Amino acid sequence: MRNGLIGIGVVGYGYWGPNLVRNFGAVEGAQVIAICDMDATKLALGKRRHPDVLVTNEFQDLLKDKRIDAIAIATPVHTHFELALATVKAGKHIFVEKPLARTSEQVRRLIEEAERRKLILMVDHTFLYTPAVQKIRDLIVGGTLGDVYYYNGIRASLGLFQSDVSVIWDLAVHDISIIQHILPEKPVAVSATGANHVAGTPDNMAHIALFFQSSCIAHISVNWLSPVKVRQTLIGGSRKMIVYDDMEATEKIKVYDRGITVTSSAESAHQLRIGYRAGDMWAPHLPAKEALQTEAEHFVECLHSGASPMSDGVSGLQVVEILEAASRSITAQGNPVRLSHKLRAVS
Amino acid sequence: MRNGLIGIGVVGYGYWGPNLVRNFGAVEGAQVIAICDMDATKLALGKRRHPDVLVTNEFQDLLKDKRIDAIAIATPVHTHFELALATVKAGKHIFVEKPLARTSEQVRRLIEEAERRKLILMVDHTFLYTPAVQKIRDLIVGGTLGDVYYYNGIRASLGLFQSDVSVIWDLAVHDISIIQHILPEKPVAVSATGANHVAGTPDNMAHIALFFQSSCIAHISVNWLSPVKVRQTLIGGSRKMIVYDDMEATEKIKVYDRGITVTSSAESAHQLRIGYRAGDMWAPHLPAKEALQTEAEHFVECLHSGASPMSDGVSGLQVVEILEAASRSITAQGNPVRLSHKLRAVS
Amino acid sequence: MRNGLIGIGVVGYGYWGPNLVRNFGAVEGAQVIAICDMDATKLALGKRRHPDVLVTNEFQDLLKDKRIDAIAIATPVHTHFELALATVKAGKHIFVEKPLARTSEQVRRLIEEAERRKLILMVDHTFLYTPAVQKIRDLIVGGTLGDVYYYNGIRASLGLFQSDVSVIWDLAVHDISIIQHILPEKPVAVSATGANHVAGTPDNMAHIALFFQSSCIAHISVNWLSPVKVRQTLIGGSRKMIVYDDMEATEKIKVYDRGITVTSSAESAHQLRIGYRAGDMWAPHLPAKEALQTEAEHFVECLHSGASPMSDGVSGLQVVEILEAASRSITAQGNPVRLSHKLRAVS
Amino acid sequence: MRNGLIGIGVVGYGYWGPNLVRNFGAVEGAQVIAICDMDATKLALGKRRHPDVLVTNEFQDLLKDKRIDAIAIATPVHTHFELALATVKAGKHIFVEKPLARTSEQVRRLIEEAERRKLILMVDHTFLYTPAVQKIRDLIVGGTLGDVYYYNGIRASLGLFQSDVSVIWDLAVHDISIIQHILPEKPVAVSATGANHVAGTPDNMAHIALFFQSSCIAHISVNWLSPVKVRQTLIGGSRKMIVYDDMEATEKIKVYDRGITVTSSAESAHQLRIGYRAGDMWAPHLPAKEALQTEAEHFVECLHSGASPMSDGVSGLQVVEILEAASRSITAQGNPVRLSHKLRAVS
């Protein structure tokens, strides 16, 4: 840290990298020092937008640069582990695009290496930093929803087929990170199905069910081959229910005072009577702040304070473990896979 | 048949029965003779609306009535088999609310009894008679969609909890009947998950994946505990894709010229290049005719001609077999259940 | 009144008449005695649906029928006056489809004739009886909205071109009746423009601005030649704003806590500073009751009690006066027409 | 022009200026040389984003700078004339934010001064360069719509109250520029109404009707005080109708094969029979290119080629003349104002 400024290096200047550069560049107390990419065209674009930032196609340049305190990685998933490990070994903090790595073993290794050196390791689970998800979490934690009955998410679009990971590592990762952030309990098993429609490529659509100890059930549908973009989630609770539509410009969250009431019947204690409640709907105003800005500020604050980030290595690990289990279940056409609790604790 | 008029008796005058009476009453060449229900209030309501129709709480009255050629059953699912069997044994044609019966064994028995007596057995899979589903079928059969990659249906609302069947027998039955009507192949396995949120009641939400010999995959989400009513289906094909939203008043079907194109890369035959196609959208005009009217007319025509209905016993059987398999898979948390082909053929 | 039952005759069994028969038929304490229409096919349809109701093509039959206490008129606008006058002269109460008559002079005559005989005269301004408009009125009267700044209504569809009246007598009549029902002040002037696109027919689209003593302004756009059906109204107040979309199935009214705040600037009392308020949105639950049912019950209650209906002759007169003024303004391409206050009081 | 590069100066770095800098900066063959603003904070922001661009609070610096060939003005409306005139007198081309100036007299003066010096004068009517408006124009010019019956536009939001111009100079200006671009005829008269809800400020809502020689009528509703953002336009033609919703992410234009057919009745040549046509809907795919990018390229091309821009001074003049007439009509509560044809031709 020079002059109190956190120096940042960004690796990967494709789809997401430019957003990282722009947002870290706007954080008070931080400065983007260098951009690294193997593609000369992308580097030229970065230079044109940010004439005072160093651009290079050598990752080593970033590792050696004393001005750089932390490296943000926005490269293809299969490269995360190697780049992140080298970063940590070079004594620099690390911010990694989701998912944190390709396997839970890799993630565990990264966590250990970072902890040993007292370095910050943060995974970019962007949605956790959106005003919408923060409001949903508040509504659940504060008891407004009552017991959570289900989470039903759909994330579909005519998306970029990735060559190294299936659609669940690209899209379901968002919902899984949200679920573990907002729900009070951890899933105990997963059943998933999927399909690919281009022979020789990873699955481009999938459905994942997560089971919990309680009667709560979460379900995620993801699809790279949808004619329309869908980002819709229903969350049902015993007291209130939420429709969260991320495609809405302003009313992303609608809270419904609807549901059922269960009472024992007068005639017989064994018979249940179900009543229906149809009340008002309420859409809380949400601030317009860009999630990635909040997230970049949070990372820089953690570097200053030494606090553990909200989306730290352990939360990244839990997500990857669920993705691994889901991948195994898909191969077995839905056969459920247990999620061992001990697996999700870092020794 | 008296004076060329088909006489109809309707059993069950609760939610759906009034629609049957109204629609059969409007069919040229048919006449509703009697309404049967055990609830005096409902019978009184029927009498008030249809002063010239006989009302009775004795099912036997319908069986004995010579003027009645066919009986339409709109009672709770667990009563279908007994009522339908008695109807057939009384020599009358039969029209049964979906699902046809509680078990595939019961359905097979009904098919046999009806065939032996050359009686028409039709199951009320209403959606098959909607202009929307008929248009979708035409687009698939005519090749407009190309190969069908997937069917993704959501059917959710704050629905009436039923005490004798779970949500899949109430809601997923619609999608399963649509799928088997519009797709060229039959599912070979099913994986399903579900949950109930009121102890002691049947499952109120479920997700069903249907696997096919090809890479096609169908998925159905059903929910009795949704704050909003959703009736949305995406159907992806290699040439076109469909968004079918039954909640839309007029543009229920939108056909998108979107998708991917796969070519071998120039550098290497082993590497695939995926291109994206984003073209126009087209919403075909659909006639406004009520599906149940079309369906009632079809039933009466089949009685006249002796032809087998579009939704005959065999199609009702296939639906029930899938529901049975899905129920078993739900109990096993998604463990896939094979669908034996021979099971679906009636000896 | 025989046996405490109000006997109703309905004239006109075209588009709206069947709804009147059905709804008056369902009112406790009322009974539809006869249907009158000049078209034999429509009478046959009425007979088939209501075998116990008298059908006739002679209006005199209704006037003479002692069992008939009140007549509901659902015929073309240009026939309203003559039929209503004859009804009143026959000593029967009267319920007239909107607009009450073709001219304010006719309406004044009807009011006088009915008053003299102490007969109830009610105009069918259906929207006043909808849960949505009743809720909006409550929100305004109760002060939730603050000062009302504007009412902006759009009512468009591919509508039935009428041959005897322009689109404002068919569609704007709804908005005008709503405006006078919910706003605390009466309009003082009107400016309107319109056009017809089929030579020789009445205007099929129009725009009406209503001015008030305060800075409130109301604007209504009506269109028989729209590709889509639109029923959308914005109502802006100093404290809250309403979006009222009658095409929505459930959330017809949304109340927004949005607006501006005006303060004098610190530097200068002459300079205003405008702040913006973007708060929550709230959609009150509305009961599902059909407006015409509420309205039919209200009419029968008024007959029993002798009370003046909510949509009585005077309110019908005010609406017709505004329609007349708007028609004159349309002819003069928007030239404003004053609304004389004395005109709107019945002597 | 140095080295074949057009040098651009941008005046005003508030809401729109940054978009101009970004888009002109991305045009091949152009370079942003300087940014001018009176606010030091805005200049600092410009410098941070564009370290290699000169920033200054002296407009004279731009006029004197030999590297600057053209100046783009994005300042409050009341300053347009003076800044543009000085620019032209300094021999530089000019690109002016809409509306071109505060009065038609000013616009005429600017046109003359620019013509005399053979300088390009372009007004930033951004919507003319959107794929949506270009497609609509093609559909009209190509005859797909048939005769245009009406244009009905709504442009509403909780907008920034401006202190120097009313809402019509801020929002209706867009629709007026679109109308004159897509319709084959010019309006002959205008009737408008408006209101302000903050004493001492310009009108914050208004409705404008434009009359044409034919039966075509255009209507524009604008509103700075709407709880929701609306950008919706209906365009009715004799053959097809368009719904243009600029808030839609992808399907901004929907073309409906709906309308009426008029035939003489068989019984009488004097009686018209109106039939209704309800056919398919079609949403053409639109390219995603940012309008301002297209527009900036067009300006630079015109500088190179000497061609007159699509949105030249004369088109800017016609828009301002209509705004002036509408303002006068608003003062007279809708009294129509003729649009003199000769006024709209530049001598």
Short mmCIF file of all heavy atoms in Angstrom, two decimals, chain B residues 290-312:
data_model
loop_
_atom_site.label_atom_id
_atom_site.label_comp_id
_atom_site.label_asym_id
_atom_site.label_seq_id
_atom_site.Cartn_x
_atom_site.Cartn_y
_atom_site.Cartn_z
N GLU B 290 -63.56 -21.45 -26.67
CA GLU B 290 -63.32 -22.10 -25.38
C GLU B 290 -62.97 -23.57 -25.63
O GLU B 290 -63.66 -24.28 -26.35
CB GLU B 290 -64.59 -21.98 -24.54
CG GLU B 290 -64.42 -22.46 -23.10
CD GLU B 290 -65.70 -22.27 -22.26
OE1 GLU B 290 -66.67 -21.68 -22.80
OE2 GLU B 290 -65.71 -22.71 -21.10
N ALA B 291 -61.88 -24.01 -24.99
CA ALA B 291 -61.40 -25.37 -25.22
C ALA B 291 -62.44 -26.42 -24.87
O ALA B 291 -62.62 -27.42 -25.58
CB ALA B 291 -60.12 -25.61 -24.42
N LEU B 292 -63.13 -26.20 -23.79
CA LEU B 292 -64.09 -27.20 -23.33
C LEU B 292 -65.25 -27.34 -24.32
O LEU B 292 -65.85 -28.42 -24.44
CB LEU B 292 -64.61 -26.83 -21.93
CG LEU B 292 -65.42 -27.90 -21.19
CD1 LEU B 292 -64.72 -29.24 -21.20
CD2 LEU B 292 -65.69 -27.45 -19.76
N GLN B 293 -65.56 -26.27 -25.03
CA GLN B 293 -66.59 -26.35 -26.06
C GLN B 293 -66.12 -27.28 -27.20
O GLN B 293 -66.85 -28.18 -27.62
CB GLN B 293 -66.89 -24.94 -26.59
CG GLN B 293 -68.06 -24.87 -27.57
CD GLN B 293 -69.34 -25.41 -26.95
OE1 GLN B 293 -69.63 -25.14 -25.80
NE2 GLN B 293 -70.06 -26.22 -27.70
N THR B 294 -64.88 -27.04 -27.66
CA THR B 294 -64.30 -27.91 -28.70
C THR B 294 -64.30 -29.36 -28.23
O THR B 294 -64.61 -30.28 -28.99
CB THR B 294 -62.84 -27.47 -28.99
OG1 THR B 294 -62.86 -26.09 -29.36
CG2 THR B 294 -62.23 -28.31 -30.09
N GLU B 295 -63.94 -29.53 -26.98
CA GLU B 295 -63.80 -30.88 -26.44
C GLU B 295 -65.17 -31.57 -26.33
O GLU B 295 -65.31 -32.75 -26.67
CB GLU B 295 -63.16 -30.76 -25.05
CG GLU B 295 -62.62 -32.07 -24.53
CD GLU B 295 -61.92 -31.87 -23.19
OE1 GLU B 295 -61.86 -30.71 -22.69
OE2 GLU B 295 -61.44 -32.87 -22.64
N ALA B 296 -66.17 -30.84 -25.86
CA ALA B 296 -67.51 -31.42 -25.73
C ALA B 296 -68.04 -31.83 -27.11
O ALA B 296 -68.63 -32.90 -27.28
CB ALA B 296 -68.46 -30.43 -25.05
N GLU B 297 -67.79 -30.97 -28.10
CA GLU B 297 -68.23 -31.29 -29.45
C GLU B 297 -67.52 -32.55 -29.97
O GLU B 297 -68.13 -33.40 -30.62
CB GLU B 297 -67.93 -30.12 -30.40
CG GLU B 297 -68.84 -28.92 -30.16
CD GLU B 297 -68.35 -27.67 -30.89
OE1 GLU B 297 -67.33 -27.75 -31.60
OE2 GLU B 297 -68.99 -26.61 -30.70
N HIS B 298 -66.23 -32.64 -29.66
CA HIS B 298 -65.45 -33.80 -30.10
C HIS B 298 -66.00 -35.10 -29.49
O HIS B 298 -66.14 -36.12 -30.17
CB HIS B 298 -63.98 -33.59 -29.70
CG HIS B 298 -63.07 -34.72 -30.08
ND1 HIS B 298 -62.88 -35.12 -31.39
CD2 HIS B 298 -62.28 -35.53 -29.33
CE1 HIS B 298 -62.02 -36.13 -31.42
NE2 HIS B 298 -61.65 -36.39 -30.18
N PHE B 299 -66.34 -35.04 -28.23
CA PHE B 299 -66.88 -36.22 -27.55
C PHE B 299 -68.18 -36.65 -28.22
O PHE B 299 -68.39 -37.83 -28.52
CB PHE B 299 -67.12 -35.89 -26.07
CG PHE B 299 -67.68 -37.04 -25.26
CD1 PHE B 299 -66.93 -38.20 -25.05
CD2 PHE B 299 -68.94 -36.95 -24.67
CE1 PHE B 299 -67.45 -39.25 -24.29
CE2 PHE B 299 -69.45 -38.00 -23.91
CZ PHE B 299 -68.71 -39.15 -23.72
N VAL B 300 -69.05 -35.68 -28.47
CA VAL B 300 -70.34 -36.00 -29.09
C VAL B 300 -70.14 -36.55 -30.50
O VAL B 300 -70.79 -37.51 -30.92
CB VAL B 300 -71.27 -34.76 -29.07
CG1 VAL B 300 -72.54 -35.02 -29.89
CG2 VAL B 300 -71.63 -34.41 -27.62
N GLU B 301 -69.20 -35.96 -31.25
CA GLU B 301 -68.89 -36.47 -32.59
C GLU B 301 -68.42 -37.92 -32.54
O GLU B 301 -68.81 -38.74 -33.36
CB GLU B 301 -67.77 -35.64 -33.24
CG GLU B 301 -68.24 -34.34 -33.87
CD GLU B 301 -67.05 -33.40 -34.11
OE1 GLU B 301 -65.91 -33.92 -34.21
OE2 GLU B 301 -67.27 -32.19 -34.16
N CYS B 302 -67.55 -38.21 -31.56
CA CYS B 302 -67.04 -39.58 -31.44
C CYS B 302 -68.18 -40.55 -31.11
O CYS B 302 -68.21 -41.69 -31.59
CB CYS B 302 -65.96 -39.66 -30.35
SG CYS B 302 -64.42 -38.85 -30.83
N LEU B 303 -69.14 -40.11 -30.31
CA LEU B 303 -70.29 -40.96 -30.00
C LEU B 303 -71.08 -41.26 -31.26
O LEU B 303 -71.54 -42.39 -31.47
CB LEU B 303 -71.19 -40.28 -28.96
CG LEU B 303 -71.02 -40.80 -27.53
CD1 LEU B 303 -69.59 -40.61 -27.06
CD2 LEU B 303 -72.00 -40.13 -26.59
N HIS B 304 -71.21 -40.22 -32.10
CA HIS B 304 -71.94 -40.40 -33.35
C HIS B 304 -71.18 -41.30 -34.32
O HIS B 304 -71.74 -42.22 -34.91
CB HIS B 304 -72.21 -39.04 -34.01
CG HIS B 304 -73.37 -38.30 -33.43
ND1 HIS B 304 -74.67 -38.76 -33.52
CD2 HIS B 304 -73.44 -37.13 -32.74
CE1 HIS B 304 -75.49 -37.91 -32.91
NE2 HIS B 304 -74.76 -36.91 -32.41
N SER B 305 -69.88 -41.03 -34.45
CA SER B 305 -69.09 -41.71 -35.49
C SER B 305 -68.47 -43.01 -35.01
O SER B 305 -68.09 -43.86 -35.81
CB SER B 305 -67.98 -40.79 -35.97
OG SER B 305 -66.99 -40.66 -34.95
N GLY B 306 -68.32 -43.17 -33.71
CA GLY B 306 -67.65 -44.35 -33.19
C GLY B 306 -66.13 -44.24 -33.21
O GLY B 306 -65.42 -45.17 -32.83
N ALA B 307 -65.63 -43.09 -33.67
CA ALA B 307 -64.17 -42.90 -33.71
C ALA B 307 -63.61 -42.78 -32.30
O ALA B 307 -64.33 -42.43 -31.36
CB ALA B 307 -63.84 -41.65 -34.51
N SER B 308 -62.32 -43.07 -32.19
CA SER B 308 -61.66 -42.96 -30.88
C SER B 308 -61.30 -41.49 -30.62
O SER B 308 -60.78 -40.81 -31.49
CB SER B 308 -60.41 -43.83 -30.89
OG SER B 308 -59.85 -43.87 -29.60
N PRO B 309 -61.57 -40.99 -29.41
CA PRO B 309 -61.27 -39.58 -29.12
C PRO B 309 -59.76 -39.31 -29.13
O PRO B 309 -58.96 -40.23 -28.93
CB PRO B 309 -61.83 -39.37 -27.72
CG PRO B 309 -62.64 -40.57 -27.39
CD PRO B 309 -62.16 -41.68 -28.25
N MET B 310 -59.41 -38.08 -29.33
CA MET B 310 -58.01 -37.65 -29.29
C MET B 310 -57.42 -37.95 -27.91
O MET B 310 -56.29 -38.41 -27.79
CB MET B 310 -57.93 -36.16 -29.58
CG MET B 310 -56.55 -35.66 -29.81
SD MET B 310 -56.58 -34.03 -30.61
CE MET B 310 -56.91 -32.97 -29.20
N SER B 311 -58.18 -37.69 -26.87
CA SER B 311 -57.72 -38.01 -25.51
C SER B 311 -58.48 -39.24 -25.03
O SER B 311 -59.38 -39.17 -24.20
CB SER B 311 -57.95 -36.82 -24.57
OG SER B 311 -59.29 -36.37 -24.64
N ASP B 312 -58.09 -40.39 -25.56
CA ASP B 312 -58.79 -41.63 -25.24
C ASP B 312 -58.19 -42.30 -24.00
O ASP B 312 -57.33 -41.71 -23.33
CB ASP B 312 -58.75 -42.57 -26.45
CG ASP B 312 -57.33 -42.96 -26.82
OD1 ASP B 312 -56.38 -42.53 -26.14
OD2 ASP B 312 -57.17 -43.70 -27.81
#
